[in-house]
Amino acid sequence: MKKYLSLMLLFSAFMMQAQAPTLKAGQAAPDFKLKNVDGKEISFASYPDAKGFIVVFTCNTCPYAIGYEQRIIDLDNKYRSKGYPVIAINPNDPEASKADTFDKMQALAKEKKYPFAYLFDPGQVVTDQYGAKRTPHLFIVSKSAKGTVVEYTGAIDNDPEGTKTDKTKFAESVIDALNSNQKPAITETKEIGCTVKRKAKA
Amino acid sequence: MKVKTFKIMLFLFLAISIKAYSQQVKLLNIDQLNERVKQGQDSTYVVNFWATWCAPCIKELPHFEKLGLEHQSDKVVVLLVSVDFKSKLNSAVIPFVKRKKMQSEVFLLNESSPQDYIDRIDPSWSGSIPATLFIKKEKRKFIESELTYEQLLTEYKKL
């Protein structure tokens, strides 16, 4: 009985903890093994030559994510050859957001010819490990002697509407710094975005 | 006769402008929001951050309208602050507010740097919407998630 009660407590604590804290620069970046839209499983080990990763939590539906879609494709095209490929993860629960099912992810990746992996996160486990709060929510990760480390969390640039001629390109600055063996000047930014869609709590 | 026509015209004009006034959306920056809250010391402020493109926000907006209407006598003030792009004021925000016949005070956030304003609302805010700030005198409570009417009422009563 006691065991049952503590399990219940643990479970309710877990439900309350749905708002996991967002990883910050300097913290370990957890590896994962998630299914890509091509059916293959992807982890950090799938990229033996990479120096790091642009892990971006994004989705099919959010207008901010759609607004940034081409810029995410451009990031991959520019930085894959420089050692930082994009790995996109959809953080939304497909029951809570019907347009974010695996099938619909496959359709979008095909239609837009995503050059990067677009992964499904069953149970939103990786989403919570990283503490991804919104779409798009970007994490730049580098490989180090101690393992994979978060270097930056936040926005891609300071222009979600895509109208500024002189954008501050946060993500690019971070990777350019890392590639010249410097510590990034900015390690965290904030931006408006769509909340991660979760099943309604009972 | 002419005077009468003029009077009718004037009445119609006023009637239309009053109607338009009740549904207008003003620009508001964080300083103005803080000032607005400071002025009404005896009230409870429920400030909801939303956008016309945000489905869960649109779903919960009626709860805020209901809270404002049903608790008018306890001096609760509901401020609905849209974070839509400023360029969408006339093309999206105002038409939305009219279509939904929204009764609460609706604003469009007049800030350009999310790096600054998100932390000024609450340092714990990641920037996802919907998000709601409750203010009662010195007490502030910030919630970064969608609320049901029951949850909203519970949070409001807890203040």
Side-chain angles (χ1 to χ4, degrees), chain A residues 37-114:
Chain A
V37 284
D38 67 4
K40 289 180 193 142
E41 289 205 312
I42 294 286
S43 67
F44 286 150
S46 312
Y47 305 82
D49 299 331
K51 290 189 257 178
F53 307 93
I54 303 169
V55 178
V56 59
F57 292 85
T58 189
C59 68
N60 282 22
T61 43
C62 173
Y64 266 60
I66 293 165
Y68 270 114
E69 187 178 46
Q70 186 57 47
R71 279 175 271 180
I72 295 170
I73 295 172
D74 294 344
L75 271 179
D76 187 60
N77 285 331
K78 183 167 177 184
Y79 287 101
R80 193 187 329 122
S81 59
K82 294 182 180 176
Y84 285 83
V86 165
I87 301 176
I89 301 174
N90 189 329
N92 287 343
D93 182 281
E95 271 179 48
S97 179
K98 300 271 186 275
D100 283 306
T101 60
F102 188 66
D103 288 357
K104 298 245 168 82
M105 286 170 60
Q106 286 180 310
L108 183 71
K110 198 176 169 190
E111 182 201 336
K112 295 291 164 71
K113 298 190 174 66
Y114 281 2

Side-chain angles (χ1 to χ4, degrees), chain A residues 15-30:
Chain A
M15 292 301 279
M16 305 269 282
Q17 263 293 287
Q19 297 280 333
T22 305
L23 292 184
K24 286 185 184 310
Q27 290 185 287

Side-chain angles (χ1 to χ4, degrees), chain B residues 72-146:
Chain B
Q72 243 165 5
S73 53
D74 351 321
K75 291 193 173 174
V76 56
V77 180
V78 172
L79 305 176
L80 304 177
V81 181
S82 151
V83 297
D84 280 270
F85 297 130
K86 264 179 266 176
S87 62
K88 301 286 184 196
L89 175 63
N90 291 314
S91 61
V93 184
I94 290 173
F96 180 89
V97 168
K98 284 188 177 168
R99 196 166 66 243
K100 299 279 180 183
K101 300 190 172 61
M102 285 160 70
Q103 299 297 312
S104 312
E105 289 179 64
V106 184
F107 301 93
L108 180 68
L109 191 64
N110 189 15
E111 290 284 345
S112 50
S113 172
Q115 303 321 318
D116 304 321
Y117 81 71
I118 289 175
D119 278 342
R120 288 182 69 196
I121 296 296
D122 195 279
S124 76
W125 189 13
S126 82
S128 81
I129 52 170
T132 303
L133 177 65
F134 298 83
I135 307 169
K136 187 177 186 180
K137 296 198 166 76
E138 301 306 313
K139 271 189 261 176
R140 283 167 83 97
K141 167 106 198 237
F142 182 78
I143 298 179
E144 184 173 356
S145 72
E146 189 186 333

